[in-house]
Amino acid sequence: MVENIHSDIKEIKEYAKDNNIPIMLDDGINFLTTFIIKHQITNVLEVGTAIGYSAIMMALASPNVKITSIERDRERYLEAVKNIKKFHLEDRITLIYNDATEVKFSDQFDLIFIDAAKGKNMAFFKKFSKNLTEDGFIVTDNIKFHGYVDKDEKEIKTRNLRGLVRKIKEYIGFLKDNNEYKTVFYDVGDGISVSQRKD
Ligand code: SAM
């Protein structure tokens, strides 16, 4: 059984690699799953499912965790549906096939994990923080954006990429200067931030 889980996870990771689908790096996912256990997280909102890898890993971290995850790409969403079935996690992972900018919830989540279009981090933070429990956390991945955030702008070749990096820097500034939330930045994986309301 455990062996099956390992080989099924390996298969998802290989599919992601072969199809150029970005999924969390190993130490990023370790950080996230450890965080879930440590803080006894029970209700996660994930923005950006891709093929369900991080959602499955979060669900496997604790039997008490439920995850709602949003994906706008049809092919990836369908692959995620398939993967979640394979792990028999349909009762704990709910997938929403839609653009996250269009999705509204009345539910409250104790962890909101932002891992979608990197230029929209701030918009998703503002939008979904309304659905965060009082002591809940907002975790954002790719804060370093493959090292580009620390590079001189002149070294970044395309205009698109420069624009994206600028938006991530703006997001970092927004988190650092935020009156309502305190944020800790972790140098793990591709850079992870953890925000929580100030006391
Ligand atoms: N969390 C996944 C994991 O580690 O297994 C990886 C997610 S991947 C980095 C980002 C995903 O977000 C992509 O599959 C992309 O299609 C999706 N995405 C981007 N913008 C989105 C949006 N506005 N609404 C919903 N999904 C979005």
Side-chain angles (χ1 to χ4, degrees):
M1 180 70 178
V2 173
E3 222 160 83
N4 271 352
I5 289 181
H6 282 307
S7 66
D8 287 345
I9 289 288
K10 203 168 155 226
E11 232 173 75
I12 296 180
K13 287 167 82 172
E14 274 166 11
Y15 179 96
K17 199 171 170 205
D18 293 346
N19 292 279
N20 283 324
I21 296 165
I23 58 170
M24 277 199 105
L25 298 175
D26 286 347
D27 48 350
I29 202 78
N30 285 341
F31 175 90
L32 188 62
T33 50
T34 307
F35 189 91
I36 283 173
I37 296 164
K38 185 175 165 200
H39 295 279
Q40 300 181 332
I41 298 296
T42 57
N43 207 9
V44 179
L45 169 64
E46 177 180 62
V47 189
T49 319
I51 56 172
Y53 170 66
S54 51
I56 290 168
M57 294 299 281
M58 287 191 276
L60 293 178
S62 159
N64 303 320
V65 175
K66 285 202 164 150
I67 298 142
T68 302
S69 186
I70 314 170
E71 175 57 54
R72 70 174 172 191
D73 180 278
R74 186 170 164 76
E75 213 178 306
R76 290 181 185 182
Y77 160 78
L78 291 174
E79 191 62 29
V81 170
K82 215 167 73 186
N83 287 332
I84 285 152
K85 263 200 195 132
K86 200 187 255 179
F87 281 84
H88 308 291
L89 288 169
E90 304 97 306
D91 56 334
R92 292 202 288 124
I93 303 178
T94 305
L95 294 182
I96 299 174
Y97 168 50
N98 203 347
D99 194 304
T101 56
E102 302 292 328
V103 180
K104 283 201 180 92
F105 294 105
S106 52
D107 318 44
Q108 293 287 100
F109 300 94
D110 53 0
L111 175 66
I112 296 175
F113 175 45
I114 304 177
D115 191 18
K118 303 302 157 189
K120 292 232 172 80
N121 284 344
M122 203 194 297
F124 290 140
F125 187 106
K126 287 180 180 168
K127 178 180 164 96
F128 291 119
S129 56
K130 296 180 184 79
N131 299 94
L132 188 68
T133 56
E134 211 174 306
D135 298 329
F137 302 93
I138 300 182
V139 172
T140 312
D141 192 26
N142 305 107
I143 289 296
K144 294 199 297 184
F145 199 56
H146 319 297
Y148 283 114
V149 168
D150 295 326
K151 270 194 185 157
D152 194 322
E153 238 189 49
K154 283 180 225 122
E155 288 178 58
I156 304 173
K157 295 218 163 61
T158 68
R159 199 150 64 115
N160 252 356
L161 200 53
R162 275 197 297 276
L164 204 51
V165 171
R166 231 172 266 160
K167 287 222 159 171
I168 295 171
K169 283 182 178 168
E170 263 171 46
Y171 181 58
I172 293 169
F174 161 81
L175 294 178
K176 282 186 175 163
D177 300 337
N178 205 290
N179 291 327
E180 209 185 331
Y181 288 84
K182 54 180 188 244
T183 296
V184 182
F185 296 90
Y186 293 92
D187 193 8
V188 287
D190 194 23
I192 290 177
S193 65
V194 178
S195 311
Q196 195 178 26
R197 281 194 189 91
K198 290 180 179 170
D199 298 325

